[in-house]
C-alpha cells in the first residue's frame, strides 16, 4: 500500500516537472548561449574566449586580452553565417603582430601630435609609437592588456563586462582611470558596446573599437566593392603625419563625400592631397549628430551577401580607415592572408589630437565626472 502511494507521488512529480520544462521551452523561443574556453596564455596566465549566440544564430566571440572582438558570425541574405571580422585563431597571433584587429583602443584612440598635451597647466609627455606621434594609447595600450571579465545579462540580451584599471602615469597619462566596457549581443543582431570611465586626475579619454569588417566574410577579398554612407557634412583634414590641421572642411565636391551611399573603391585612389596622405581613407568625419544621443553614423552594405551594417554612436566623430596598411604579411583566421584593403574600420571617437585642439569637442575627463559612450553595430540584410 505504502509503495503504491510512493509510486503515485513519483508519477505526479514527473508529470509536474515535465510540464514545467515544456513551459520554459514554449516561452523561450528567445535564447542566448554563452561558452567560455581558453584562448591561450599571456605571460603564463590563461586568457579566455567568450562566445555568445542569440536566437538568430548570430555569434560574437570576445577575448579578455585587449578586449578584442575575435569572431563575429552574421547571417547573409540566405541565412548563411560568415565571420565578418579579421583576426587570429588564438591569442598568440595578437601577441606577435596586430594592426589593432578587433581591439579596444585607449586611453586615447587615434593620434596625439608629438605625444604632448597640457591639462590644468601641466604638460604631459606620452609614449610615441607612430613616428613622432602617439597612436592608440601608446606602446602598451588598452589593446595589449588583460582585462577582468564577467558575463552579464539584461532581459534577453547577454554581455561581457570587461574592467581595467589604468594606473596614474601609464604610457604617460595622468590619473588612475577605471574603465569598464560592456560588449552586448542583442536579439536584434546588434553588437553594442557601452564604455564607462572615471578618473582621479583630469585626463584625455577616447575609447573605441578597432574591428576590421568585411561583410562578404573575412579573407574573401578587399572591401572596395562595399558601399558606405556617412552621416557627416564635414571631415577633419590632416597633415602628412595624419594629424588634423584644425579645420572642419565640407565634404562636398571631394572624395570624402559619402552623404549618399558610394562605392568605397570609386575614389579611393583619387588625385587628391587628403587621399594621398591617408594612402586611401584614413580620416575622421565630423558627424552631423553632435548632441550625444545615439544616432546612425554609418551604413555599410555588400551586394553579394546582402549584408548591411549600421553603426550608431553617441560620439561626435568617426574614423573611416580602409586597411591601407594591410599588405599580405599577416595570415589570420583559417589561414586567410590579409591583403591591402581587405577590411575596413569605423572607429567611433572624439577627433584626433583633440587634447591640442581647443576648438574640437573636449575629450578631457575630470575627477567626479563619468565618461559614458555607446556604439552599436547593427546587422541586417537586403536582396
Ligand atoms: C588607425 C589609424 C591608421 C592605422 C590603423 C592601424 O585606424 O588611423 O592610420 O594606424 O589604425 O594600422
Amino acid at each position: 500500500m505504502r509503495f503504491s502511494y510512493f509510486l503515485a507521488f513519483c508519477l505526479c512529480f514527473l508529470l509536474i516537472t515535465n510540464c514545467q520544462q515544456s513551459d520554459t521551452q514554449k516561452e523561450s523561443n528567445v535564447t542566448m548561449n554563452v561558452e567560455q574556453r581558453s584562448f591561450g596564455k599571456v605571460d603564463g596566465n590563461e586568457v579566455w574566449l567568450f562566445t555568445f549566440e542569440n536566437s538568430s544564430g548570430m555569434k560574437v566571440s570576445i577575448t579578455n586580452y585587449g578586449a578584442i572582438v575575435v569572431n563575429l558570425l552574421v547571417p547573409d541574405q540566405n541565412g548563411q553565417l560568415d565571420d565578418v571580422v579579421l583576426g587570429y585563431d588564438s591569442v598568440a597571433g595578437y601577441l606577435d603582430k596586430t594592426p589593432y584587429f578587433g581591439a579596444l583602443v585607449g586611453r586615447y584612440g587615434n593620434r596625439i601630435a608629438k605625444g604632448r598635451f597640457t591639462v590644468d597647466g601641466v604638460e604631459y609627455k606620452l609614449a610615441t609609437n607612430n613616428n613622432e606621434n602617439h597612436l592608440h594609447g601608446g606602446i602598451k595600450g588598452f589593446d595589449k592588456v588583460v582585462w577582468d571579465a564577467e558575463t552579464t545579462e539584461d532581459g534577453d540580451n547577454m554581455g561581457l563586462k570587461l574592467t581595467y584599471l589604468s594606473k596614474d602615469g601609464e604610457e604617460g597619462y595622468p590619473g588612475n582611470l577605471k574603465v569598464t566596457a560592456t560588449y552586448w549581443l542583442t536579439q536584434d543582431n546588434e553588437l553594442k558596446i557601452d564604455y564607462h570611465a572615471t578618473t582621479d586626475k583630469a585626463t584625455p579619454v577616447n575609447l573605441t573599437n578597432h574591428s576590421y569588417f568585411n561583410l562578404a566574410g573575412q579573407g574573401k577579398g578587399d572591401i572596395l566593392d562595399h558601399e558606405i554612407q556617412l552621416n557627416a557634412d564635414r571631415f577633419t583634414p590632416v597633415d602628412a603625419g595624419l594629424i588634423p590641421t584644425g579645420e572642419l572642411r565640407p565634404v562636398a565636391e571631394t572624395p570624402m563625400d559619402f552623404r549618399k551611399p558610394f562605392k568605397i573603391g570609386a575614389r579611393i585612389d583619387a588625385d587628391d592631397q587628403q587621399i594621398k596622405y591617408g594612402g586611401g581613407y584614413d580620416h575622421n568625419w565630423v558627424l552631423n549628430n553632435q548632441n550625444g544621443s545615439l544616432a546612425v553614423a554609418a551604413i555599410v552594405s555588400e551586394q553579394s551577401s546582402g549584408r548591411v551594417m549600421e553603426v550608431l554612436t553617441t560620439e561626435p566623430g568617426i574614423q573611416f580607415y580602409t586597411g591601407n596598411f594591410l599588405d599580405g604579411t599577416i595570415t589570420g583566421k583559417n589561414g586567410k592572408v590579409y591583403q591591402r584593403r581587405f577590411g575596413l574600420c569605423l572607429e567611433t571617437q572624439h577627433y584626433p589630437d583633440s587634447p591640442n585642439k581647443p576648438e574640437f569637442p573636449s575629450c578631457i575627463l575630470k575627477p567626479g565626472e563619468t565618461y559614458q559612450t555607446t556604439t552599436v553595430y547593427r546587422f541586417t540584410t537586403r536582396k
Side-chain angles (χ1 to χ4, degrees), residues 5 9 13 28 72 85 146 163 183 243 281 292 337 346 378:
Y5 275 137
F9 170 77
F13 179 75
S28 57
L72 189 60
V85 292
V146 176
T163 48
Y183 288 57
I243 299 292
Y281 296 106
V337 176
L346 287 163
R378 180 189 291 155

Side-chain angles (χ1 to χ4, degrees), residues 111 238 242 278 280-285 319-322 324-325:
R111 292 174 176 79
V238 290
L242 299 184
Y281 296 106
D282 192 355
H283 299 79
N284 169 68
W285 271 254
Q319 183 85 4
F320 172 41
Y321 168 59
T322 43
N324 310 308
F325 296 123

Side-chain angles (χ1 to χ4, degrees), residues 98-100 110-111 130 135-136 210 212 242 278 282-283 319-321 325-326 345 347:
T98 174
Y100 306 94
N110 220 309
R111 292 174 176 79
N130 189 239
L135 174 68
H136 293 333
H210 208 297
Y212 287 68
L242 299 184
D282 192 355
H283 299 79
Q319 183 85 4
F320 172 41
Y321 168 59
F325 296 123
L326 298 174
C345 302
E347 303 152 60

Side-chain angles (χ1 to χ4, degrees), residues 28 32 61 92 95 99 134 149 151 181 187 207 251 288 292 330 379 382:
S28 57
M32 185 66 80
S61 304
L95 290 171
H134 175 89
T151 56
Q187 296 294 348
L207 306 176
V251 293
N288 291 340
I330 289 180
F379 295 88
R382 64 177 172 230

Side-chain angles (χ1 to χ4, degrees), residues 52-246:
F52 298 89
E53 179 177 3
N54 71 9
S55 308
S56 327
M58 178 173 160
K59 280 190 191 180
V60 58
S61 304
I62 301 147
T63 175
N64 64 318
Y65 174 72
I68 294 169
V69 175
V70 174
N71 305 314
L72 189 60
L73 276 80
V74 175
D76 71 3
Q77 61 203 350
N78 303 314
Q80 196 203 303
L81 294 176
D82 270 304
D83 188 355
V84 298
V85 292
L86 277 53
Y88 289 107
D89 292 317
S90 79
V91 80
Y94 296 96
L95 290 171
D96 182 35
K97 179 185 182 184
T98 174
Y100 306 94
F101 286 144
L104 191 156
V105 292
R107 186 180 295 201
Y108 195 89
N110 220 309
R111 292 174 176 79
I112 297 178
K114 301 193 170 67
R116 287 178 189 276
F117 63 90
T118 301
V119 177
D120 290 344
V122 181
E123 180 173 77
Y124 293 93
K125 179 79 190 83
L126 302 174
T128 47
N129 58 328
N130 189 239
N131 304 318
E132 56 174 3
N133 300 321
H134 175 89
L135 174 68
H136 293 333
I139 294 159
K140 190 173 180 187
F142 292 179
D143 60 301
K144 294 183 184 67
V145 300
V146 176
W147 295 66
D148 286 331
E150 56 174 312
T151 56
T152 179
E153 281 181 41
D154 180 13
D156 292 333
N157 305 325
M158 267 197 95
L160 188 66
K161 186 173 173 191
L162 296 150
T163 48
Y164 176 65
L165 171 65
S166 168
K167 295 235 173 86
D168 190 8
E170 191 177 289
E171 299 296 304
Y173 286 103
N176 291 295
L177 187 77
K178 282 190 197 158
V179 188
T180 304
T182 311
Y183 288 57
W184 297 99
L185 175 63
T186 76
Q187 296 294 348
D188 299 321
N189 285 3
E190 297 165 330
L191 170 63
K192 176 178 169 203
I193 311 178
D194 288 323
Y195 302 91
H196 181 279
T198 54
T199 185
D200 57 9
K201 275 188 197 164
T203 178
V205 185
N206 191 28
L207 306 176
T208 192
N209 181 275
H210 208 297
S211 287
Y212 287 68
F213 297 97
N214 187 321
L215 298 186
Q218 67 99 21
K220 286 199 180 161
D222 63 42
I223 44 76
L224 299 181
D225 278 341
H226 286 47
E227 278 192 357
I228 190 166
Q229 182 172 7
L230 295 170
N231 192 7
D233 294 341
R234 293 171 299 171
F235 75 108
T236 51
V238 290
D239 65 16
L242 299 184
I243 299 292
T245 60

